[in-house]
Amino acid sequence: MLCLGWFAEVCWTDIISTVEFNYSGELLATGDKGGRVVIFQREQESKNRPHSRGEYNVYSTFQSHEPEFDYLKSLEIEEKINKIRWLPQQNAAHFLLSTNDKTIKLWKISERDKRAEGYNLKDEDGRLRDPFRITSLRVPVLMPMDLMVEASPRRIFANAHTYHINSISVNSDHETYLSADDLRINLWHLEITDRSFNIVDIKPANMEELTEVITAAECHPHQCNVFVYSSSKGTIRLCDMRAAALCDRHTKFFEEPEDPSSRSFFSEIISSISDVKFSHSGRYMMTRDYLSVKVWDLNMENRPVETYQVHEYLRSKLCSLYENDCIFDKFECCWNGSDGAIMTGSYNNFFRMFDRNSRRDITLEASRESSKPRAMLKPRKVCTGGKRKKDEISVDSLDFNKKILHTAWHPKENVIAVAATNNLYIFQDKIN
């Protein structure tokens, strides 16, 4: 992989909390803990700069959410962007959904390169003219101006979630989307902001009987009536909205039987699913738990068809990871455009890539030292015991404060985006 560059921030509020390519891959959006959304645009190749194709530069930056306070519950609502999802492009403008813990917003990103001049009722500086001094009528004309990218909120979807929103997913009909919190999933229409339909509610009558929470949810890429949601117990439920308006009863239930011999105090914690993603084909889905990535065939519920160990060498470190709360980190995962490879993050700014066809895997590191523009990334290996080789790093030397939780893969090309705390790295497959 070649590094196309990295973008750094300096304040804790600039820690990146989500990364998402749009449907064409020409735009890349990031959200951070400060409530900002930064959009990067891919450079077009030119004769003067033949190798500039693939580089991403800042296209637009705007404040999506502000900190709020719920006076009824005496609860502070932070501005952190939890998820960003692009809508398919219908015209010259781009639309995206962004959410914090409570409020979802639909943003329009558009360009302006012309301005109107020659008004009758006001001067060029905007001051109103005296109507009695107007002796002739002018037809306003459009004059060229420097390109301006504007971000404007078109819809605000609020007051529908009691608990923190962890997922939003645009449906394949491109008219509706779902939002999920710890106990409920709501279905929204993009044109209607004052009401949503509750399609899943797992809240028990007595909260003391609560045994699991919803951790992620996603719509099927082709069937607008199908969606899945994962739980903290390591299970995945597939629901069909044609069967019932309230999908408390699942259509399919995916769970891998636990090996009794490997059961420990941490078993339930590390089996909690932090992310679920359908493949682009819609045939498979991928789940990420603390130590592994699993690929499921939608036609087989009893076990995954593929299991990839992300950092199995941490199994002996679970006690210390529990003490420093790292065991509760929520890693995301993503497919490449052809569904032939998958990617997820790890600690020490490592990220893992797995080829589903050859079953080969590679560990790479996103760091300033190894990520100079156009520099090649070298595979990294973790030594679990015995004599350590020259290029290996000891498992005891891993930095658990450096973690890659958020990754994204270009929908058509081998270009990836990796968020390492407050740095965004963009890598591209080597082109001969």
Side-chain angles (χ1 to χ4, degrees):
M1 300 290 285
L2 283 170
C3 178
L4 296 180
W6 55 269
F7 305 87
E9 307 286 355
V10 291
C11 180
W12 73 269
T13 59
D14 297 318
I15 293 175
I16 297 170
S17 53
T18 183
V19 183
E20 186 78 6
F21 279 103
N22 74 337
Y23 281 77
S24 66
E26 295 301 302
L27 296 178
L28 171 67
T30 67
D32 63 27
K33 285 193 172 183
R36 285 178 298 273
V37 172
V38 181
I39 300 175
F40 300 88
Q41 185 182 44
R42 197 175 196 185
E43 287 292 313
Q44 300 299 318
E45 188 172 344
S46 63
K47 293 181 180 179
N48 298 331
R49 300 179 64 202
H51 298 294
S52 65
R53 174 66 176 164
E55 293 181 3
Y56 284 80
N57 292 314
V58 175
Y59 178 63
S60 176
T61 302
F62 59 93
Q63 188 73 29
S64 174
H65 288 71
E66 300 281 357
E68 300 175 47
F69 191 81
D70 187 332
Y71 292 96
L72 291 176
K73 298 180 180 178
S74 295
L75 185 70
E76 190 173 350
I77 303 169
E78 62 178 359
E79 63 271 35
K80 173 193 166 192
I81 306 297
N82 292 340
K83 284 287 185 285
I84 290 174
R85 290 292 179 265
W86 290 92
L87 273 64
Q89 189 176 6
Q90 308 287 352
N91 49 42
H94 298 272
F95 290 85
L96 63 80
L97 289 166
S98 64
T99 183
N100 66 350
D101 286 340
K102 299 290 183 182
T103 305
I104 306 162
K105 296 183 180 182
L106 174 65
W107 291 89
K108 177 184 179 182
I109 295 92
S110 55
E111 295 182 352
R112 262 207 312 158
D113 59 358
K114 292 182 174 63
R115 69 171 184 267
E117 289 186 358
Y119 288 104
N120 291 290
L121 298 178
K122 60 182 180 181
D123 294 325
E124 300 304 329
D125 58 3
R127 291 183 297 179
L128 292 176
R129 299 173 64 188
D130 185 354
F132 296 104
R133 294 187 178 181
I134 300 174
T135 56
S136 62
L137 292 177
R138 295 183 292 180
V139 178
V141 293
L142 291 174
M143 300 296 290
M145 60 176 279
D146 292 338
L147 180 67
M148 180 185 297
V149 181
E150 296 178 320
S152 54
R154 308 300 289 180
R155 305 275 189 277
I156 296 178
F157 308 88
N159 305 319
H161 284 279
T162 306
Y163 307 98
H164 292 177
I165 299 171
N166 56 47
S167 302
I168 52 175
S169 179
V170 180
N171 211 337
S172 60
D173 60 12
H174 303 152
E175 292 183 351
T176 57
Y177 74 93
L178 61 79
S179 59
D181 64 24
D182 293 339
L183 298 178
R184 296 187 179 99
I185 300 177
N186 293 333
L187 182 68
W188 300 82
H189 194 286
L190 285 164
E191 299 293 329
I192 302 171
T193 61
D194 60 351
R195 65 185 180 275
S196 61
F197 296 97
N198 179 231
I199 53 176
V200 172
D201 188 346
I202 66 169
K203 183 180 179 182
N206 182 3
M207 284 294 281
E208 292 181 1
E209 299 172 0
L210 183 68
T211 59
E212 63 180 333
V213 295
I214 298 168
T215 56
E218 187 172 67
C219 295
H220 192 278
H222 307 302
Q223 301 173 27
C224 61
N225 53 287
V226 174
F227 68 94
V228 295
Y229 67 93
S230 58
S231 86
S232 57
K233 278 193 168 181
T235 61
I236 312 103
R237 292 170 174 86
L238 184 142
C239 301
D240 190 337
M241 288 184 278
R242 296 174 300 183
L246 188 62
C247 299
D248 285 349
R249 293 186 178 180
H250 50 265
T251 305
K252 291 189 176 184
F253 183 77
F254 300 84
E255 183 180 25
E256 184 176 23
E258 185 184 11
D259 182 3
S261 63
S262 62
R263 175 132 186 106
S264 70
F265 171 77
F266 306 107
S267 294
E268 192 168 321
I269 302 174
I270 63 174
S271 66
S272 175
I273 294 173
S274 56
D275 196 18
V276 58
K277 293 277 174 58
F278 278 110
S279 63
H280 296 88
S281 66
R283 171 70 188 274
Y284 301 96
M285 66 179 175
M286 169 173 54
T287 60
R288 171 71 206 261
D289 57 41
Y290 189 66
L291 294 179
S292 65
V293 173
K294 295 172 183 174
V295 176
W296 302 78
D297 189 320
L298 295 190
N299 298 322
M300 191 168 75
E301 303 170 47
N302 59 338
R303 60 184 175 86
V305 290
E306 300 163 23
T307 300
Y308 301 96
Q309 301 301 331
V310 178
H311 38 218
E312 183 64 20
Y313 46 79
L314 294 181
R315 191 175 289 275
S316 61
K317 303 285 183 183
L318 292 178
C319 189
S320 57
L321 290 167
Y322 178 78
E323 290 174 355
N324 62 19
D325 283 345
C326 284
I327 200 169
F328 301 106
D329 286 334
K330 300 183 186 306
F331 292 94
E332 296 176 4
C333 52
C334 60
W335 301 85
N336 74 337
S338 64
D339 298 334
I342 56 182
M343 174 174 62
T344 190
S346 182
Y347 293 105
N348 207 69
N349 278 1
F350 288 169
F351 59 98
R352 304 268 283 140
M353 305 174 79
F354 303 92
D355 189 308
R356 296 181 60 210
N357 300 314
S358 65
R359 293 301 177 120
R360 290 188 301 175
D361 63 90
I362 190 171
T363 301
L364 300 171
E365 181 182 6
S367 66
R368 299 188 187 188
E369 293 77 19
S370 61
S371 300
K372 296 175 182 176
R374 300 287 162 185
M376 280 287 294
L377 287 185
K378 295 180 180 179
R380 302 301 304 268
K381 287 188 178 181
V382 177
C383 173
T384 55
K387 192 174 181 180
R388 182 169 64 90
K389 296 180 181 177
K390 180 182 178 183
D391 295 330
E392 292 182 338
I393 181 170
S394 169
V395 67
D396 297 317
S397 303
L398 296 176
D399 188 343
F400 294 106
N401 292 317
K402 294 180 178 179
K403 60 191 79 171
I404 292 178
L405 303 177
H406 314 287
T407 59
W409 206 314
H410 191 289
K412 299 174 183 176
E413 300 177 25
N414 275 340
V415 176
I416 60 172
V418 173
T421 55
N422 56 350
N423 296 301
L424 175 68
Y425 296 88
I426 300 174
F427 302 103
Q428 181 179 26
D429 203 9
K430 185 180 178 182
I431 302 172
N432 294 324

